[in-house]
Amino acid sequence: MEYGVVLKWWLLYQALLVVGLPFAARLLPDAPDRGASLAVPTAVVLVTVPTLWVGQLAFGLWVVVGVAAAVVAASAWLARGGIDVPRRPLAEVAAVFTAAFLFLIVIRAAADGVHPHGGEKFLDFGLLQSLLRAEQLPPQDFWFAGERVVYYYGGHLMASILALLSGTSGRFAYDPALAGFYAMAVTAVYGLASTITASRFAEADPVEGSTALGVAAVVFVVLLVTLGVPWYYLAVPAAFAAAVFAGSTRVRAGMLAAIVYGFASNLVTPVRLLAGTYDVVREAVVAAGVKSNRAPTITPAEFDMWHASRVVETGINEFPLFAYLNGDLHAHMMSVAVLFLAVGIGLAYARTPESARRRRLALLFGAFPVAAATILTVNTWSFPAVAGVAMLSVALVDADPRTLLPGSLARRFEQSSAAVRELQRVLLGVAVAVAVAVLGLVVAAPFVQSVLLAGASNQHPAAFPVPTKLGAFLLVHGLFLVAFGAYLVSRVARDGSDWAAAALAAVAAVLLAATFDPVIAGVRVGVVGVLLAGPILAGAWLLRRRDAVGFEGVLVVAGAGLVVIIEYVYVADAASYERYNTIFKVYAQVWALWSVPAGVALAALAARKPDVSRLRSVGGTALAVLLVVSASIYGGFAVASHVDSADDATLDAFEHVNDERPDEGAAVEWLNDKSGQPHIVSAPGTTPYTWQNPASSLTGIPTVAGWAHAGNYHSDSAYRTRVSDVGVVYETSEAVSRAIILRKHDVQYVWVGPVERERYDVRVTDEEPGISVAFTNENVTVYEVTHSELVEQ
């Protein structure tokens, strides 16, 4: 285990916390932690955006150091008068970040390095390595030699910046970078939820310790009996729940939000365990429908961490814990920290008085566009979400958006009708969202020009996909739907009859969704999202405008809106079928957006207030504990299985290749020591997610034709031409033909390993002029090409 690497990266993140704090404190000056929970992503964004621009001319260690020095100088200038941050909230932020960082370090140390199976690690690691070799941005596409990468690489740029600042090679930077992104997200969700709760539920008292312990014990026994899982999988989350629910409402909300994002799962695992014991549950799951290749029941012995992320028929319904356990350094995981920064900007706007017009304008048209630009480069799929948060912040918070306009123009919008005023709010919110999007495109102009426009032709909008089945929808979103439904009802319910009416309405909505299956003009039109998420959206919107809920309502609306929208429209792209990729990328955003209000809702349900009966308080606590413990069962199984399968603890990304394919590993290490980005030839990865292109994927050195993904990003016909060229290099018996291809693609090395020998009748030899053996062992030979000595036509 590389403890020195872990310590070095932890210290780097603490330094970023210090650097980012003056900026974050100006964003949320009245938050309990003064914005400290967003300080690290703030610092990372402030270094990344200028680096993106400067990198178009030059990129490398000294560029990154220079930009970082400028950010440090700006931070010092902002902090010249001191920053008043209470010690306890700051200590909470440091503790949460450290716990989350070390948790994922342990997870990654138990993994087996970078490999191509079951994920995008070859893509992600190749991008990181390519950036660390690059002298200019965008870097060369390591799967399409000679061309710049056409992919959102902003998150990998962040990781490479951190690697350069810490002096860490790519093979040891991958895991600490991933752990840092996870810790940034967990810490941000903790801070956002606790900040929202501190201002909304200051009068709420902690649950009595005896009540919290008793409720947790009852939930523990009930689930132990009904699910048949080992007791220790339930004891830990039950004990955690008892401790957290007995704490202050602010800390409780933060901890619950952190658990919902960082450790909880959807309800697939507990429900399928119940279905394995009770026929009535199994029949209900079968009737409601899950993915066709997923059995409705499982036993503890049949647990598979992949099952819970694959229950929607036409998509991947990932949640954070699955994604981080799987270990890809992928866009939808790295962008969450930036998305939470955008949420923090929205929260800052909501907490800014209407009279502070300049600050509100600066947040909307200064801070939001920077967050939008950053997330555009990290994960383009999340770009609309930032604009959406800006739109909803304007439309739903207390400040009248007309006051953003010049006085004479604002007076023209004066209306006496409440309905018209609400419509004006929405329209002005949309206008702000459009402005944020346009300004974000301007801030990210280098990325837009070199990447976004180049790859846009491979995607187009489409409508009316295969609707989500009722069962899959409830299993995937049930944790949030139950928590939000109960929370919203609790804000307006006067007595037990109101709760009964709400319960009947929920049952009616589920029954209608199960029986109503409209077909319009021969097309099935899904109603599950509208019937189940729609009321949550409408309720949160209405109660936010009535000030019955706070900024958490804005985030409930944002997530529900995304869930409903993708039931009807999606982005069709060459990388997936129908809305497969849309569900994958959008559901990840929904989970992130909903994790903050989930913490607030669960904390509020268990809060003791003078006007709430003891029975209702106990009932709310019981529901919250049941949801927390149920959603933690997957984590117990998955983490235990992950750790049990480990052989040795290391953060070395080359572990898999060195353990499973040592000869190829030795050749990879030899090639990895070469500087710059010389071009190589290796067998094209025409069957992705298998062992192909290890040389380019593990070193970042561009190969002529890598995985078939490159055809999606560039041109399928150009990719096929390159595949044909590679075949000529390996199989032709004519030295002239081989030389023509080697010159065409400026090839310096020809990789001949097991994959190449299996696929081709390899005729490359060092007997030809200009070709010599540079490295060889039992299974791999790497030939070096000297262009000046190659045969002429």
Side-chain angles (χ1 to χ4, degrees), residues 31 108 121 213 221 224 394 445 482-483 532 547 692 762 790:
R108 292 307 304 153
K121 297 177 191 64
L213 184 61
V221 172
L224 186 65
V394 170
V482 173
L532 300 185
D547 202 32
Q692 300 184 62
V762 179
L790 290 173

Side-chain angles (χ1 to χ4, degrees), residues 27-28 37-39 41-42 45 158 184-185 188-189 192 196 334-350 362-364 366-376 382-394 397 436 551 554-555 558 589 592-593 596:
L27 181 67
L28 289 167
S37 59
L38 296 173
T42 297
V45 166
M158 291 178 176
M184 279 188 266
V189 73
L192 290 167
I196 293 171
M334 295 184 288
S335 61
V336 174
V338 185
L339 181 59
F340 283 144
L341 179 57
V343 170
I345 296 169
L347 178 59
Y349 179 85
L363 289 169
L364 291 177
F368 262 124
V370 172
T374 306
I375 213 165
L376 179 72
S382 294
F383 181 66
V386 174
V389 170
M391 175 264 172
L392 292 173
S393 297
V394 170
V397 303
V436 166
F551 192 76
V554 175
L555 301 180
Q589 299 171 54
L593 288 169
V596 175

Side-chain angles (χ1 to χ4, degrees), residues 119 125 142 278 300 415 433 493 580 633 642 669 688 697:
F125 189 67
F142 60 99
Y278 300 98
Q415 293 288 336
Y580 191 87
I633 294 171
H642 180 84
E669 297 213 32
S697 302

Side-chain angles (χ1 to χ4, degrees), residues 539-575:
W541 186 297
L542 182 62
L543 295 182
R544 168 75 284 277
R545 291 297 300 124
R546 293 183 176 180
D547 202 32
V549 299
F551 192 76
E552 70 275 14
V554 175
L555 301 180
V556 172
V557 171
L562 289 174
V563 167
V564 173
I565 287 171
I566 63 172
E567 287 297 305
Y568 303 102
V569 295
Y570 63 98
V571 177
D573 58 66

